[in-house]
């Protein structure tokens, strides 16, 4: 919304300028660049997904806030780039009409700076959000220069926020940090974890499932490896026992062969001894016979 549009008033307002409840539409012009649009959509998606279980907040981007005390359309309206209202019904709205929302103003406002709006965002809007809206948390961010600042309302005045060691600023109203990630402004938890988009959350869940499956498969392979290791050790032990038995049998065979050789040698010795004895007996018989023949005056050599 241009400055002229936002502060324009009509000198001849009539009662026809008063709209019935629920009949006020947002009157914001298109965003200046695609990057501005992407930044707003990113924050909307992240916060709505992070608070998907909650029903007591309203978050919007580039939506008109009507705050006329006289409930008139053509006076007192602004269109923050991104704002959050707490303790209200979560539902879609055509605009945010303060007098129809029990007088509630945003708890959190973010303006996305551009060349044409930066001065207004830093001065005029900051004063408006401080003095009229009494919005506790006000931030601004330039996606092209990465200028980033945040303020918290203390005793009716905005005090600048101190960044943590990661350059993040804390929003008391949201209970989240804001910080630059990948050139755009993102939400972070109090522990410093990035608040994901639905797509990032789904991807992380998918990766966790894949990791769990990989872990399960790794454990299965580990168990299989351990089983194979035990089987290998059992086979090695069995092989060692078989080798030991084979060596025992080999030694027994060699002992038996040696014993057999000794027996064979003994048998040959006994055979020779038997032959010697038989020869000796035969000779003794021959000598006795020769002696008998000589007694009979028979020459045994002539027989």
């Amino acid at each position: 919304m241009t400055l002229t549009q936002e502060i324009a008033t009509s000198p001849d307002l009539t009662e026809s300028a008063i709209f019935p409840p629920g009949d006020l539409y947002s009157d914001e012009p298109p965003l200046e660049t695609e990057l501005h649009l992407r930044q707003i959509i990113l924050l909307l998606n992240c916060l709505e997904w992070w608070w998907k279980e909650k029903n007591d907040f309203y978050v919007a981007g580039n939506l008109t806030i009507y705050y006329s005390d006289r409930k008139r359309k053509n006076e007192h309206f602004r269109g923050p780039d991104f704002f959050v209202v707490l303790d209200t019904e979560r539902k879609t709205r055509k605009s945010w009409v303060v007098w129809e929302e029990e007088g509630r103003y945003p708890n959190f406002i973010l303006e996305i700076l551009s060349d044409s709006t930066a001065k207004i965002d830093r001065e005029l809007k900051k004063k408006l959000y401080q003095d009229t809206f009494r919005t506790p948390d006000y931030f601004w961010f330039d996606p092209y220069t990465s200028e980033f600042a945040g303020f918290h309302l203390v005793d009716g005045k905005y005090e600048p926020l101190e960044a943590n060691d990661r350059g993040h600023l804390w929003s008391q109203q949201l209970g989240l940090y804001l910080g630059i990630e990948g050139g755009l402004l993102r939400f972070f938890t109090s522990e410093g974890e990035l608040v994901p988009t639905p797509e990032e959350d789904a991807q992380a869940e998918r990766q966790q499932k894949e990791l769990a499956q990989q872990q399960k498969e790794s454990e299965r392979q580990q168990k299989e490896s351990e089983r194979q290791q035990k089987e290998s050790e059992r086979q090695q032990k069995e092989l060692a026992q078989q080798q030991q038995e084979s060596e025992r049998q080999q030694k027994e065979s060699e002992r038996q062969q040696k014993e057999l050789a000794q027996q064979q040698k003994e048998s040959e010795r006994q055979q020779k001894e038997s032959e010697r004895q038989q020869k000796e007996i035969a000779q003794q018989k021959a000598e006795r016979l020769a002696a008998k023949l000589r007694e009979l005056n028979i020459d045994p050599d002539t027989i």
Side-chain angles (χ1 to χ4, degrees), residues 121-138:
D121 293 333
R122 296 191 190 103
E123 299 175 4
L124 191 150
K125 285 188 176 181
K126 181 183 177 185
K127 181 173 177 56
L128 175 69
Y129 299 154
Q130 171 186 273
D131 298 337
T132 302
F133 283 25
R134 312 295 289 171
T135 295
D137 288 346
Y138 176 48

Side-chain angles (χ1 to χ4, degrees), residues 113-252:
L113 305 182
S114 66
D115 292 340
S116 62
T117 67
K119 182 176 177 61
I120 298 171
D121 293 333
R122 296 191 190 103
E123 299 175 4
L124 191 150
K125 285 188 176 181
K126 181 183 177 185
K127 181 173 177 56
L128 175 69
Y129 299 154
Q130 171 186 273
D131 298 337
T132 302
F133 283 25
R134 312 295 289 171
T135 295
D137 288 346
Y138 176 48
F139 290 74
W140 68 58
F141 173 63
D142 189 328
Y144 289 97
T145 67
S146 296
E147 179 184 340
F148 177 43
F151 305 87
H152 183 68
L153 200 63
V154 179
D155 296 329
K157 299 294 181 181
Y158 275 141
E159 295 291 338
L161 296 172
E162 293 291 335
N164 65 10
D165 56 359
R166 298 178 61 184
H168 297 172
L169 301 179
W170 177 251
S171 168
Q172 292 186 13
Q173 295 296 297
L174 302 184
L176 295 168
Y177 280 106
L178 285 88
I180 302 172
E181 179 80 12
L184 292 175
L185 202 62
R186 299 292 299 267
F187 293 117
F188 295 84
T189 68
S190 57
E191 292 77 24
E193 296 179 359
L194 180 69
V195 173
T197 64
E199 295 77 14
E200 289 170 341
D201 202 23
Q203 182 180 6
E205 184 177 355
R206 184 169 59 252
Q207 289 175 342
Q208 287 177 353
K209 288 182 179 179
E210 291 176 355
L211 184 61
Q213 291 176 344
Q214 291 174 355
Q215 181 67 22
K216 187 176 180 179
E217 176 63 18
S218 177
E219 291 175 355
R220 188 197 66 78
Q221 292 178 351
Q222 179 67 21
K223 288 181 180 179
E224 177 63 18
S225 176
E226 290 174 356
R227 187 196 65 79
Q228 292 178 350
Q229 179 67 21
K230 288 182 180 179
E231 177 64 16
S232 175
E233 291 174 356
R234 186 194 64 79
Q235 291 177 349
Q236 288 178 355
K237 185 176 180 180
E238 184 176 327
L239 183 62
Q241 290 174 342
Q242 291 175 349
Q243 181 69 23
Q244 187 177 7
E245 177 63 18
S246 175
E247 292 174 355
R248 188 194 65 77
Q249 292 177 352
Q250 178 68 21
K251 290 180 179 179
E252 178 64 18

